[in-house]
């Protein structure tokens, strides 16, 4: 029967026009392995290359192909054995022992041939004869793909199935445990950094210019920003959020004064009268420098300093005027217009974007940067809270389950549609050979069982016939 199967394949192959396929379109077979089904001949119009195969060989296919070949040999060997036994015991008396053996061998051949036909008919025409209802996989490939799509959509991509599975998975705890390990947090940071680098690399200066000119500036020009800025500033003053910025400016000013004593002393000395002696100018410069240092230190250390209070009052008045004073609002709008229409505004924005992008890219590349350390710290804090805070974990899992179920309910059919579209894109011969490679070895057991069951059934029928006669 192995020869018959090979002959059937030869007949099938002979029906396909042998047109060459360009070498770059095919994957190179592994050395020592037979060509994959995806490397067989394809039909293509003259002058056009055949499309690349959607069914490429995997390393496991060699093992599957070897197992299929072995099981075919076993199943065919049983058929050959039954035929040999049948021929050797031909002509024996029906009631003799060899007569029983002859009948069992004959029934075994019938069962083996019937099951060989059934298994072969799934993938090709037996012996190359176009018998109706054979080569089912090739003829009904698209129907099988649509049926599989419907089966997956109905039984897997449903809200009830997905929600039940998610609730049994304990996504929150498993995520907390996974993020609790440093190497996993590093993996997350690596992926985030890679994605951020790609995103930053895809945003060009022209994109920023287009966004600013066509979207941002026209929108800002139409909006009355004075009341918005006033309300924003009022909230900052009420919450004392600006105190941190004031402290930062005072600290930087104090450092600058400390680093530039000679410059300040000279500046103060230059304001002295021409007729004053030099030693007096030096004393005044030194005294003035010390007073400036003392004054800045007092402002920094005293939260209720008059300067701080005056600054708070100034900002509060400005916030109120931006919202209520018509003249201030008009001036603010006029200032906005001048800024938005300034010739160098676009260049300034692009320059700021370039500086920001360069800083971010440098921080993303350097795994010892503060950005990486803070990111790792944030992820660790999130993992700790996720593992210890049960209400927060339940809330997060509920939101996650709702999102996944919504996506499955809304896009499940479209997602399952990939199955039918993919199957339809397969070449029928390739698909048949590929599917046979996956399930063919198990199907050979049908032939083996058919041989054995046929022999037993024939033996039982012959026994009943002998007893009745």
């Amino acid at each position: 029967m192995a020869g018959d199967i090979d002959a059937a394949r030869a007949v099938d192959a002979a029906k396909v026009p042998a047109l060459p396929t360009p070498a770059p379109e095919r994957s190179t077979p592994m050395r020592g392995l037979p060509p994959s089904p995806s490397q067989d001949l394809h039909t293509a119009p003259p002058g056009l290359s055949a499309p690349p195969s959607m069914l490429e060989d995997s390393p496991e296919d060699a093992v599957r192909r070897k197992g299929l070949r072995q099981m075919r040999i076993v199943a065919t060997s049983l058929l050959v054995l039954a035929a040999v036994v049948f021929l050797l015991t031909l002509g024996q008396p029906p009631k003799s022992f060899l007569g029983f053996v002859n009948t069992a061998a004959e029934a075994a051949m019938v069962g083996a041939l019937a099951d060989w036909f059934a298994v072969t008919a799934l993938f090709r025409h037996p012996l190359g004869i176009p018998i109706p209802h054979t080569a089912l996989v090739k003829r009904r490939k698209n129907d099988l793909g649509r049926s599989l799509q419907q089966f997956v959509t109905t039984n897997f991509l449903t809200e009830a199935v997905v929600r039940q599975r998610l609730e049994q998975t304990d996504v929150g705890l498993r995520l907390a445990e996974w993020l609790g390990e440093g190497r996993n947090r590093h993996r997350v940071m690596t992926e985030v950094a890679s994605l951020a680098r790609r995103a930053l690399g895809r945003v060009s200066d022209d994109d920023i210019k287009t966004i600013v000119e066509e979207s941002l500036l026209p929108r800002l020009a139409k909006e009355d920003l004075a009341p918005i800025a006033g309300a924003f500033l009022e909230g900052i003053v009420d919450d004392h959020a600006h105190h941190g910025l004031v402290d930062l400016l005072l600290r930087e000013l104090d450092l600058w004064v400390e680093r530039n004593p000679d410059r300040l002393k000279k500046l103060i000395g230059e304001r002295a009268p021409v007729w004053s002696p030099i030693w007096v100018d030096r004393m005044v410069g030194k005294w003035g420098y010390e007073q400036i240092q003392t004054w800045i230190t007092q402002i920094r250390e005293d939260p209720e300093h008059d300067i701080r209070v005056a600054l708070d009052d100034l900002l509060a008045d400005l916030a109120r005027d931006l919202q209520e004073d018509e003249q201030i609002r008009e001036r603010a709008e006029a200032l906005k217009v001048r800024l938005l229409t300034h010739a160098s505004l676009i260049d300034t924005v692009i320059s700021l974007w370039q500086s920001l992008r360069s800083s971010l890219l440098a921080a993303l590349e350097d795994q010892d940067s503060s950005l990486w350390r803070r990111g790792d710290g944030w992820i660790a804090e999130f993992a700790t809270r996720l593992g210890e805070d049960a209400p927060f974990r339940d809330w997060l899992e509920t939101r996650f389950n709702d999102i996944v179920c919504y996506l499955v309910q809304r896009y499940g059919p479209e997602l399952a549609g990939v199955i039918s579209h993919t199957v339809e894109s397969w070449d029928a011969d390739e698909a048949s050979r590929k599917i046979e490679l996956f399930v063919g070895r198990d199907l050979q057991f049908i032939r083996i069982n058919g041989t054995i069951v046929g022999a037993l059934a024939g033996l039982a029928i012959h026994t009943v016939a002998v007893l009745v006669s």
Side-chain angles (χ1 to χ4, degrees):
M1 290 306 300
D4 294 338
I5 295 174
D6 293 337
R9 286 184 171 178
V11 173
D12 284 344
K15 295 183 179 181
V16 181
L19 296 178
T21 301
E25 297 291 337
R26 319 307 303 161
S27 60
T28 304
M30 297 178 63
R31 181 175 300 177
L33 298 181
S36 68
S38 62
Q39 293 164 331
D40 291 340
L41 298 177
H42 285 260
T43 59
L48 295 178
S49 60
S53 173
M54 300 293 291
L55 295 169
E56 300 295 341
D57 261 3
S58 64
E60 293 80 8
D61 284 348
V63 179
R64 297 189 184 100
R65 190 176 290 105
K66 180 179 179 181
L68 174 60
R69 189 183 304 112
Q70 291 175 345
M71 292 308 302
R72 277 178 175 168
I73 293 174
V74 172
T76 305
S77 299
L78 287 178
L79 174 58
V80 172
L81 177 62
V84 170
V85 172
F86 173 76
L87 292 176
L88 292 177
T89 58
L90 194 63
Q92 299 296 324
K95 295 184 180 181
S96 66
F97 173 76
L98 293 180
F100 279 84
V101 173
N102 179 265
T103 302
E106 182 180 7
M109 288 192 299
V110 174
L113 287 172
D115 287 333
W116 165 83
F117 181 90
V119 171
T120 303
L122 289 174
F123 306 103
R124 64 185 63 83
H125 298 301
L127 301 178
I129 304 173
I131 303 173
H133 303 292
T134 58
L136 296 177
V137 173
K138 291 196 293 185
R139 290 194 307 105
R140 304 195 59 187
K141 170 179 65 70
N142 295 343
D143 294 335
L144 293 174
R146 285 189 289 270
S147 299
L148 180 59
Q149 172 187 339
Q150 184 179 5
F151 176 78
V152 172
T153 302
T154 305
N155 297 279
F156 293 92
L157 295 180
T158 63
E159 181 178 356
V161 173
V162 173
R163 187 177 293 276
Q164 180 183 12
R165 178 58 180 169
L166 289 175
E167 291 175 352
Q168 296 174 351
T169 305
D170 291 332
V171 177
L173 283 176
R174 296 179 66 176
L175 180 61
E177 294 176 358
W178 191 79
L179 292 177
E181 299 183 11
R183 66 175 183 273
N184 294 331
R185 294 197 302 273
H186 185 271
R187 179 179 176 183
V188 172
M189 284 298 301
T190 301
E191 294 297 331
V192 172
S194 176
L195 181 62
R197 285 195 298 269
R198 293 181 182 179
L200 291 173
R202 290 183 177 272
V203 181
S204 64
D205 295 344
D206 292 336
D207 295 331
I208 298 298
K209 183 178 180 180
T210 301
I211 293 173
V212 173
E213 289 182 339
E214 299 181 2
S215 300
L216 185 59
L217 293 184
R219 183 61 183 270
L220 292 177
K222 293 179 180 179
E223 293 290 341
D224 188 6
L225 297 182
I228 300 175
F232 181 70
L233 181 59
E234 183 180 18
I236 291 177
V237 174
D238 292 341
D239 295 337
H240 305 292
H242 63 293
H243 287 177
L245 178 60
V246 173
D247 292 338
L248 176 61
L249 294 175
L250 289 173
R251 183 167 63 252
E252 293 298 324
L253 180 59
D254 193 14
L255 290 174
W256 187 88
V257 170
E258 183 179 351
R259 293 169 182 171
N260 299 274
D262 296 335
R263 189 172 180 180
L264 274 176
K265 291 176 183 177
K266 182 180 179 181
L267 182 63
I268 296 173
E270 291 177 351
R271 298 296 184 273
V274 179
W275 47 266
S276 63
I278 295 178
W279 61 273
V280 173
D281 295 343
R282 291 176 178 174
M283 290 181 61
V284 172
K286 181 180 179 182
W287 177 83
Y289 173 76
E290 293 174 352
Q291 292 301 311
I292 292 175
Q293 275 192 314
T294 303
W295 185 58
I296 294 175
T297 301
Q298 290 174 352
I299 298 174
R300 287 185 59 187
E301 296 176 352
D302 185 6
E304 302 298 331
H305 195 277
D306 293 341
I307 297 296
R308 286 180 176 267
V309 174
L311 179 61
D312 291 345
D313 294 340
L314 176 64
L315 294 176
D317 292 340
L318 178 60
R320 183 177 60 256
D321 292 340
L322 286 173
Q323 298 179 77
E324 302 175 359
D325 193 319
E326 191 65 30
Q327 292 183 350
I328 297 297
R329 292 175 59 178
E330 291 178 358
R331 292 178 182 178
E333 288 300 313
L335 176 62
K336 180 196 75 173
V337 173
R338 288 198 300 271
L339 290 175
L340 295 180
T341 57
H342 197 279
S344 61
L345 176 62
I346 300 298
D347 294 336
T348 302
V349 172
I350 293 178
S351 178
L352 292 174
W353 161 250
Q354 291 174 343
S355 300
L356 177 62
R357 179 173 57 187
S358 299
S359 300
L360 287 175
L361 289 175
L364 292 172
E365 290 290 345
D366 184 9
Q367 297 188 5
D368 295 326
S369 65
S370 59
L371 179 63
W372 275 75
R373 292 195 299 270
R374 290 183 180 180
D376 182 82
W378 291 335
I379 297 175
E381 291 177 4
F382 173 76
T384 301
R385 183 183 179 187
L386 191 61
E388 299 176 354
D389 191 343
F392 172 71
R393 184 172 63 251
D394 293 340
W395 175 86
L396 192 63
E397 287 181 348
T398 301
R399 299 287 81 77
F400 175 76
N401 294 349
D402 291 342
I403 292 173
V404 173
C405 290
Y406 169 79
L407 294 176
V408 168
Q409 185 178 9
R410 186 172 182 84
Y411 301 106
E414 287 80 359
L415 181 62
V418 175
I419 297 175
S420 61
H421 294 322
T422 302
V423 172
E424 289 175 1
S425 68
W426 290 347
D427 176 79
D429 292 325
E430 282 188 84
S432 178
R433 284 188 289 268
K434 193 72 170 181
I435 295 174
E436 183 181 14
L437 192 62
F438 273 81
V439 301
R441 181 179 184 276
D442 295 327
L443 292 179
Q444 299 308 309
F445 284 100
I446 296 178
R447 295 177 57 190
I448 296 174
N449 293 333
T451 304
I452 297 174
V453 172
L456 295 176
L459 184 61
I461 294 174
H462 183 72
T463 301
V464 172
V466 169
L467 293 177
V468 172
S469 61

